Amino acid sequence: TERPIGIDDLSFSTTHYRLDQDVLASRLGVDAAKLHTGLGQDAFSVPATDEDIVTMAATAAQPIIARHGPERIRTILFATETGVDQSKAAGLYVHGLLGLPATCRVVELKQACYSATAALQFATALIARDPGQQVLVLASDIAKYQLGSEGEPTQGAAAAAMLVTADPAVLRIDPCSGVYSEDISDFWRPNYRTEAVVDGKLSIDAYKRATREAFADYQRRGGRYLDQFAAFCYHQPFTKMAYKAHRHLLEHAGTPGPDGDSRTTTDASDSATDAADLDAALAATTHYNRAIGNSYTASAYLALASLLDHRKDLADQPIAVISYGSGAVAEFFGGTVVPGYRDHLRTTANAHAIARRQPIDYQHYQRLHHESDLTDDADRKIEQQTTAPYRLAAIADHQRIYEATI
Ligand code: CAA
């Protein structure tokens, strides 16, 4: 029998600052309940000027390297849509900061919020060839929209780091997965912009359709039925989106399974609108994203971390991950939580990463928002703000200079 492959360790980091949605609500003159209940967001992470996707990714990966050592890592896959360079992979800075082996391939992957899932699937294929190696998957992003735009309350920032191995301690990834792609302009960021362009309503519809189609593909390929999963870890641009998408899936997942049985259709009518069922499937996955905001590629994996940290009963349970990246690509895959998984979680560190952020007022947030528009064509030194272990220290001769702070 083949050895299982999947996530052996999962860690995340976020930023030094946070903006509470209440601050934004009073500034925008909108009802705070729209943001807390309507979008399902309480706050979002705001990077200090010496934080970026590299410092967040290094901070997320550092405890994984401390626990497992760097020796067996032969590949680093860095997923992001907040790239800091058009040529050099951001993972190389992390490789240097963490002292990872020279006998390692390092690349960056892009497809909006989806590419960490591609990275995870590529990692499983590499390990199937050589089960002795480990792959470090990094997903790091900063969600930034224009001040005063509809998207502003759905900003955020975080990095997830995952060690992918044979005989994983946390999640065995099933070989079966479903995918869907379509060329659509629901959300994108042209090279000359630091902020995304988005058609919010179109993006929500595109997300729902892509989820439904990816699941239909999954079922045609012999995947599990919806009611067999203990929980669903959705990409969460705002946590309410997971509820919208899951309700849509329950209502439309009528594609017959390989044996012609379409159990999901008949069950759907009973449960689709049942809020308690939706909560049972989703609530535990939303705690981190509700506090951090959209972290694009990292979001679905923060949902996974939240689920594992908040549910004690998942040993041997199948769970689903649903990844959506505008543009658009979606993937639906399942996995089984490994018995003993709780001994490998980082629950305390995760709570700390969220609680330690400094709340800022609107003026401070606005200043940071403007400063993050600066480009790298002028040399500058950057004062230390973050208390994270790595920071961006300067721009010199068009190079980004990172340093360890401890
Ligand atoms: N109390 C409670 N709820 C309230 C309320 C109140 N006082 N006032 C409004 N609401 C509810 C609304 O009813 C609505 O809920 P439903 O969708 O369930 O009807 C919710 O609050 C949001 O209200 P609006 O639809 O009016 O919100 P909006 O038009 O201002 O913007 C948005 C919402 C389109 C998501 C916008 O924030 C946006 O464009 N965000 C960026 C794009 C995005 O996140 N898209 C998600 C899918 S694409 C993707 O997933 C990729 C990615 O990461 C970007």
Side-chain angles (χ1 to χ4, degrees):
T1 60
E2 278 182 24
R3 286 167 76 180
I5 298 170
I7 300 171
D8 191 54
D9 197 356
L10 167 62
S11 164
F12 75 80
S13 72
T14 184
T15 61
H16 187 62
Y17 297 119
R18 71 162 208 266
L19 188 77
D20 291 322
Q21 294 286 7
D22 292 342
V23 175
L24 197 57
S26 60
R27 170 77 190 200
L28 299 177
V30 307
D31 189 351
K34 175 182 173 180
L35 308 180
H36 291 290
T37 313
L39 296 179
Q41 291 304 123
D42 294 335
F44 58 81
S45 290
V46 180
T49 35
D50 58 346
E51 292 177 321
D52 70 1
I53 56 159
V54 168
T55 67
M56 289 193 299
T59 301
Q62 190 271 335
I64 290 182
I65 307 305
R67 186 184 279 178
H68 303 270
E71 299 81 13
R72 290 166 60 200
I73 297 175
R74 280 189 67 79
T75 302
I76 300 172
L77 302 174
F78 195 120
T80 188
E81 56 178 303
T82 320
V84 295
D85 194 286
Q86 289 283 10
S87 174
K88 180 172 174 174
L92 282 161
Y93 296 110
V94 176
H95 179 271
L97 286 167
L98 297 181
L100 299 179
T103 48
C104 189
R105 60 171 76 80
V106 184
V107 290
E108 190 167 307
L109 291 90
K110 174 176 67 185
Q111 188 356 72
C113 310
Y114 163 72
S115 65
T117 301
L120 209 50
Q121 295 292 359
F122 298 165
T124 64
L126 285 167
I127 292 159
R129 280 206 132 177
D130 171 11
Q133 68 174 282
Q134 302 173 330
V135 177
L136 181 63
V137 171
L138 303 172
S140 186
D141 270 305
I142 298 166
K144 187 181 170 195
Y145 300 96
Q146 258 171 325
L147 297 175
S149 69
E150 278 184 355
E152 188 177 14
T154 65
Q155 295 177 113
M162 292 178 271
L163 191 68
V164 184
T165 67
D167 307 316
V170 174
L171 183 74
R172 296 183 188 122
I173 295 176
D174 296 341
C176 182
S177 98
V179 292
Y180 176 75
S181 289
E182 146 183 21
D183 180 1
I184 182 174
S185 294
D186 59 328
F187 167 107
W188 68 105
R189 185 167 67 82
N191 284 340
Y192 51 84
R193 286 178 63 113
T194 63
E195 289 142 352
V197 192
V198 60
D199 182 337
K201 303 295 178 229
L202 181 70
S203 73
I204 291 172
D205 287 343
Y207 182 126
K208 290 198 280 196
R209 179 172 62 252
T211 296
R212 185 179 81 218
E213 294 296 338
F215 180 70
D217 183 49
Y218 173 78
Q219 278 217 314
R220 285 190 298 267
R221 294 171 67 83
R224 300 173 206 263
Y225 294 102
L226 284 180
D227 60 7
Q228 293 176 298
F229 289 105
F232 297 81
C233 301
Y234 280 87
H235 166 57
Q236 292 166 9
F238 47 97
T239 63
K240 192 72 176 293
M241 187 67 227
Y243 285 79
K244 286 179 185 292
H246 198 54
R247 178 177 282 117
H248 184 81
L249 197 54
L250 289 168
E251 286 168 358
H252 293 89
T255 310
D259 53 0
D261 179 359
S262 59
R263 268 160 62 197
T264 46
T265 321
T266 45
D267 288 355
S269 53
D270 306 316
S271 58
T273 50
D274 187 337
D277 283 358
L278 284 176
D279 264 341
L282 302 172
T285 71
T286 61
H287 298 291
Y288 297 152
N289 288 320
R290 176 174 264 282
I292 284 174
N294 197 352
S295 57
Y296 293 161
T297 52
S299 172
Y301 300 97
L302 265 56
L304 174 61
S306 177
L307 172 69
L308 296 169
D309 285 344
H310 292 89
R311 287 257 308 255
K312 298 185 169 62
D313 57 341
L314 291 170
D316 273 329
Q317 294 293 310
I319 61 164
V321 176
I322 303 93
S323 184
Y324 174 75
S326 292
V329 180
E331 181 156 352
F332 185 110
F333 69 92
T336 307
V337 179
V338 182
Y341 71 101
R342 300 193 65 218
D343 296 338
H344 303 271
L345 300 182
R346 300 177 175 280
T347 311
T348 309
N350 292 343
H352 184 64
I354 289 172
R356 67 192 280 279
R357 294 170 304 161
Q358 308 287 310
I360 51 177
D361 62 17
Y362 187 82
Q363 284 67 33
H364 191 167
Y365 153 72
Q366 194 179 33
R367 197 165 68 241
L368 289 166
H369 199 279
H370 289 314
E371 278 172 16
S372 63
D373 284 338
L374 288 177
T375 52
D376 292 358
D377 51 6
D379 286 5
R380 61 195 151 99
K381 281 198 158 34
I382 301 168
E383 66 164 306
Q384 183 165 355
Q385 294 165 31
T386 186
T387 49
Y390 306 98
R391 69 180 216 97
L392 176 65
I395 308 295
D397 293 333
H398 307 282
Q399 297 174 51
R400 295 172 81 81
I401 312 295
Y402 294 96
E403 65 181 21
T405 61
I406 42 163

